[in-house]
Amino acid sequence: MDFFDPHIHIASRTTDELELMAKMGCVVVGEPAFWMGYDRTSPASFYDYYRQLTEWEPKRTAQYGIRHYAWLGLNAKEAENVAFAKEVIPLLPEFLDRPNALGIGEIGLNKNTRNEVATLEMLIELAMKTNEQMLFHTPHLADKYPGTRMILDMLRADSRVDRSRVCIDHLEEHTIRLALDEGYWAGITLYPTTKATPERAADMVEIYGPERILVNSSADWGPSNPTAVPNFILVMRRRGHPESVIRKVVYDNPLEFFNQSRHFEFVPAE
Amino acid sequence: MTIKTKALEVLDREFLSLRCKIVEVAAALDRIARAGGECDDPRIDQVRRSLELVAQPREAADRAEQVQLLFSLPYDPQWRQPRV
């Protein structure tokens, strides 16, 4: 089955893995800007990273027939230094005009601090001014529940936000209903230990239905699996779900969400 | 003739995996105990409370959600207000 991985950090993955993903049916990837495992020391470092996401990584995936799209943003982990963020955010509009740009992401909260909130407000403001879609990172582990609710509070307070153009990501059992009830796209990340497993993601699809749910590997430089989406497909098949439902989650939904971005022009195969 | 309910079908599918995960939990707790010394840490209390929650009969099939909340920090609806 053809599938999208709507959230994967290709910059951290090898060409062998891209080949394997292509063999398993991956046709489109969405790569959000994120934390590289160490804090960058200057805005120029972000500039080079945005070039990597919009120039180099699309060429690497194209070798295997995978279309590459990117989200540009300042990640929550590096959002604590508001003065630094004020130097990085003005770099974004140039890259939002690149042909593979999907919008602003992944942005959000990490430890739910006031400084992170201040940086996030600047990024949301930029998205509103430039009419971009947004992809939100929700915090890890114990911080996820309060952080997700804070992000939803911020978005609810801004009447300009079109919820059909926003994905709240890394949702789990205690946060997915919050995002779905308010009309957002809901991302579930499939991780070996933290976040959700393919089995629990299938549970959430069974409980809430397949509407507006996306699953992704979020595969990066840590423990993660670039073939997590095919693992989800297998779990769903073993439970007897129809191909149409599985395809909706791994292909139709991300296609519909990405299609709202001004640069997205993927044409599904006949 | 016994007719299998949907729940029994799911139990058949899940039982070995469920058993394996419970043994893994038991073995991990044994490992901590075997290591010796005090382990006065709030995470142990979280684990104990989550196991109690999982073992209790529940009308709503929401154990996973409740366990997640047990391991979560609380949400303060007044988070925008300056802290005193």
Side-chain angles (χ1 to χ4, degrees), chain B residues 10 40 70:
Chain B
V10 175
D40 184 18
L70 197 150

Side-chain angles (χ1 to χ4, degrees), chain A residues 191-202:
Chain A
Y191 262 12
T193 46
T194 58
K195 302 189 171 65
T197 59
E199 288 78 8
R200 286 168 43 217

Side-chain angles (χ1 to χ4, degrees), chain B residues 39-64:
Chain B
C39 193
D40 184 18
D41 188 295
R43 290 174 295 179
I44 288 291
D45 186 52
Q46 281 183 319
V47 170
R48 183 187 56 74
R49 286 190 292 137
S50 67
L51 291 173
E52 286 171 3
L53 194 155
V54 167
Q56 281 169 4
R58 292 186 71 79
E59 202 164 310
D62 65 349
R63 287 181 178 82

Side-chain angles (χ1 to χ4, degrees), chain A residues 15 35 49 61 70 78 89 216 264:
Chain A
T15 46
W35 187 58
Y49 177 53
T61 65
E78 288 172 284
I89 291 171
N216 62 71
F264 189 74

Side-chain angles (χ1 to χ4, degrees), chain A residues 112 114 117 121 141-143 145-146 149-150 153-154 157 172-174 177 195 200 207-208 238-239, chain B residues 13-14 21 46 61-62 64-66 68-69 71-83:
Chain A
N112 308 329
R114 291 186 180 281
V117 167
E121 283 172 340
L141 303 171
D143 296 301
Y145 181 71
R149 294 200 62 173
M150 289 168 67
D153 287 347
M154 292 171 72
E172 297 181 52
E173 290 88 346
H174 54 324
R177 186 190 301 117
K195 302 189 171 65
R200 286 168 43 217
I207 292 167
Y208 297 103
R238 291 181 74 183
R239 291 190 190 181
Chain B
R13 189 184 74 205
E14 299 291 337
K21 287 167 187 164
Q46 281 183 319
D62 65 349
E65 180 179 351
Q66 295 303 318
Q68 290 274 20
L69 288 170
F71 283 102
S72 297
L73 290 167
Y75 162 70
D76 174 10
Q78 306 300 317
W79 64 269
R80 284 182 185 277
Q81 304 296 324
R83 291 193 183 95

Side-chain angles (χ1 to χ4, degrees), chain A residues 8-14 17 31 34-36 49 52 57 60 219-222 224:
Chain A
I8 178 168
H9 300 286
I10 295 294
S12 301
R13 309 308 309 197
T14 65
E17 291 170 327
E31 176 165 19
F34 86 136
W35 187 58
M36 292 298 279
Y49 177 53
Q52 181 180 8
E57 298 305 337
R60 283 211 309 140
D220 57 13
W221 40 259
S224 51

Side-chain angles (χ1 to χ4, degrees), chain A residues 18-87:
Chain A
L18 300 182
E19 183 177 352
L20 180 61
M21 289 173 70
K23 285 175 179 171
M24 296 181 96
C26 184
V27 290
V28 176
V29 291
E31 176 165 19
F34 86 136
W35 187 58
M36 292 298 279
Y38 56 91
D39 288 348
R40 296 167 179 88
T41 54
S42 74
S45 179
F46 275 92
Y47 189 90
D48 290 340
Y49 177 53
Y50 298 147
R51 282 192 58 208
Q52 181 180 8
L53 297 189
T54 55
E55 296 173 20
W56 173 237
E57 298 305 337
K59 287 180 187 157
R60 283 211 309 140
T61 65
Q63 292 172 18
Y64 302 97
I66 299 173
R67 293 289 297 270
H68 179 285
Y69 287 89
W71 298 90
L72 289 314
L74 176 63
N75 68 86
K77 185 95 175 164
E78 288 172 284
E80 182 64 21
N81 185 337
V82 179
F84 189 78
K86 283 180 178 171
E87 292 185 67

